Amino acid sequence: MEILRDVIRILSSSAFRNEAGKILQDEFVALLKSAAEDKNEFIKNSANIIAQALLYKAQGHLNEKDVMTILRKQKKIAQIEANNAELAVMSRIQKITYRLLDISIDFLVKAL
Protein backbone atom coordinates (compact mmCIF):
# COMPACT_ATOMS: atom_id res chain seq x y z
CA MET A 1 0.00 0.00 0.00
CA GLU A 2 1.55 3.24 -1.12
CA ILE A 3 -0.08 5.42 1.54
CA LEU A 4 1.37 3.19 4.27
CA ARG A 5 4.86 3.53 2.79
CA ASP A 6 4.43 7.30 2.59
CA VAL A 7 3.37 7.54 6.24
CA ILE A 8 6.26 5.30 7.34
CA ARG A 9 8.67 7.47 5.34
CA ILE A 10 7.33 10.65 6.96
CA LEU A 11 7.42 9.16 10.46
CA SER A 12 10.96 7.92 9.86
CA SER A 13 12.30 11.30 8.75
CA SER A 14 14.77 12.96 11.05
CA ALA A 15 12.73 16.18 11.04
CA PHE A 16 9.64 14.36 12.32
CA ARG A 17 11.62 12.36 14.87
CA ASN A 18 13.29 15.51 16.17
CA GLU A 19 9.97 17.36 16.44
CA ALA A 20 8.22 14.37 18.05
CA GLY A 21 11.06 14.05 20.53
CA LYS A 22 10.82 17.74 21.38
CA ILE A 23 7.06 17.50 21.93
CA LEU A 24 7.53 14.47 24.19
CA GLN A 25 10.33 16.19 26.08
CA ASP A 26 8.25 19.33 26.61
CA GLU A 27 5.28 17.29 27.86
CA PHE A 28 7.46 15.27 30.23
CA VAL A 29 9.16 18.35 31.69
CA ALA A 30 5.80 20.11 32.15
CA LEU A 31 4.40 17.05 33.93
CA LEU A 32 7.47 16.82 36.20
CA LYS A 33 7.07 20.49 37.14
CA SER A 34 3.37 19.99 37.76
CA ALA A 35 4.09 16.99 39.96
CA ALA A 36 6.72 18.88 41.95
CA GLU A 37 4.18 21.63 42.68
CA ASP A 38 1.28 19.28 43.44
CA LYS A 39 -0.05 19.27 47.01
CA ASN A 40 -0.40 15.47 46.99
CA GLU A 41 2.67 13.74 48.44
CA PHE A 42 2.14 10.58 46.41
CA ILE A 43 2.30 12.52 43.15
CA LYS A 44 5.44 14.36 44.29
CA ASN A 45 7.13 11.18 45.47
CA SER A 46 6.22 9.31 42.29
CA ALA A 47 7.75 12.03 40.14
CA ASN A 48 10.89 11.87 42.26
CA ILE A 49 11.11 8.07 41.86
CA ILE A 50 10.63 8.36 38.10
CA ALA A 51 13.24 11.11 37.76
CA GLN A 52 15.75 9.25 39.94
CA ALA A 53 15.30 5.99 38.01
CA LEU A 54 15.82 7.77 34.68
CA LEU A 55 18.84 9.61 36.03
CA TYR A 56 20.39 6.37 37.29
CA LYS A 57 19.80 4.79 33.87
CA ALA A 58 21.40 7.74 32.09
CA GLN A 59 24.39 7.60 34.43
CA GLY A 60 24.79 3.86 33.93
CA HIS A 61 23.99 2.93 37.54
CA LEU A 62 20.94 0.89 36.51
CA ASN A 63 20.27 -1.09 33.37
CA GLU A 64 17.10 -0.91 31.29
CA LYS A 65 15.58 -4.00 32.89
CA ASP A 66 16.03 -2.63 36.42
CA VAL A 67 14.55 0.75 35.53
CA MET A 68 11.58 -0.86 33.78
CA THR A 69 10.96 -2.99 36.88
CA ILE A 70 10.99 0.08 39.12
CA LEU A 71 8.67 2.05 36.84
CA ARG A 72 6.21 -0.80 36.33
CA LYS A 73 5.99 -1.38 40.07
CA GLN A 74 5.43 2.33 40.60
CA LYS A 75 2.63 2.23 38.02
CA LYS A 76 0.92 -0.59 39.95
CA ILE A 77 1.27 1.41 43.16
CA ALA A 78 -0.17 4.47 41.39
CA GLN A 79 -3.15 2.43 40.23
CA ILE A 80 -3.81 1.27 43.80
CA GLU A 81 -3.38 4.81 45.12
CA ALA A 82 -5.75 6.20 42.47
CA ASN A 83 -8.36 3.56 43.26
CA ASN A 84 -8.30 4.54 46.92
CA ALA A 85 -8.17 8.31 46.39
CA GLU A 86 -10.87 10.93 46.28
CA LEU A 87 -12.03 11.84 42.78
CA ALA A 88 -9.95 15.03 42.47
CA VAL A 89 -6.76 13.29 43.62
CA MET A 90 -7.50 10.24 41.47
CA SER A 91 -7.80 12.50 38.44
CA ARG A 92 -4.45 14.20 39.14
CA ILE A 93 -2.72 10.85 39.71
CA GLN A 94 -4.05 9.62 36.39
CA LYS A 95 -3.25 12.84 34.54
CA ILE A 96 0.22 13.41 35.97
CA THR A 97 1.67 10.22 37.44
CA TYR A 98 0.28 7.74 34.92
CA ARG A 99 1.42 9.90 32.02
CA LEU A 100 4.93 10.39 33.47
CA LEU A 101 5.20 6.63 33.89
CA ASP A 102 3.84 5.91 30.42
CA ILE A 103 6.28 8.29 28.75
CA SER A 104 9.15 6.87 30.79
CA ILE A 105 8.27 3.22 30.16
CA ASP A 106 7.34 3.59 26.50
CA PHE A 107 10.02 6.02 25.34
CA LEU A 108 12.58 7.48 27.70
CA VAL A 109 14.12 4.35 29.22
CA LYS A 110 14.83 3.01 25.74
CA ALA A 111 16.30 6.31 24.58
CA LEU A 112 18.70 6.77 27.48
Side-chain angles (χ1 to χ4, degrees):
M1 220 170 107
E2 189 165 329
I3 193 164
L4 182 59
R5 279 179 282 176
D6 290 343
V7 170
I8 291 170
R9 183 176 40 79
I10 290 168
L11 296 177
S12 299
S13 74
S14 61
F16 175 82
R17 293 165 88 195
N18 288 340
E19 184 62 24
K22 178 73 173 121
I23 291 167
L24 194 64
Q25 176 189 15
D26 290 347
E27 180 183 5
F28 189 80
V29 169
L31 287 166
L32 273 180
K33 288 178 181 177
S34 180
E37 296 169 359
D38 199 278
K39 60 186 174 196
N40 182 277
E41 285 301 313
F42 177 79
I43 293 172
K44 287 181 186 180
N45 290 336
S46 291
N48 190 44
I49 289 167
I50 295 163
Q52 194 67 55
L54 293 173
L55 183 61
Y56 283 167
K57 169 68 170 76
Q59 294 172 339
H61 299 301
L62 291 174
N63 62 34
E64 183 175 332
K65 182 181 175 187
D66 294 336
V67 174
M68 294 297 271
T69 299
I70 291 166
L71 296 176
R72 286 186 180 123
K73 285 184 179 184
Q74 189 62 30
K75 180 129 189 199
K76 287 179 184 176
I77 294 167
Q79 290 167 337
I80 293 168
E81 187 73 19
N83 287 339
N84 294 323
E86 295 176 9
L87 189 57
V89 174
M90 179 182 70
S91 177
R92 290 198 323 276
I93 289 171
Q94 291 171 335
K95 178 182 164 197
I96 299 170
T97 307
Y98 282 18
R99 187 65 181 140
L100 282 170
L101 287 161
D102 288 343
I103 292 170
S104 298
I105 290 168
D106 295 340
F107 303 104
L108 299 181
V109 173
K110 295 171 187 149
L112 293 175

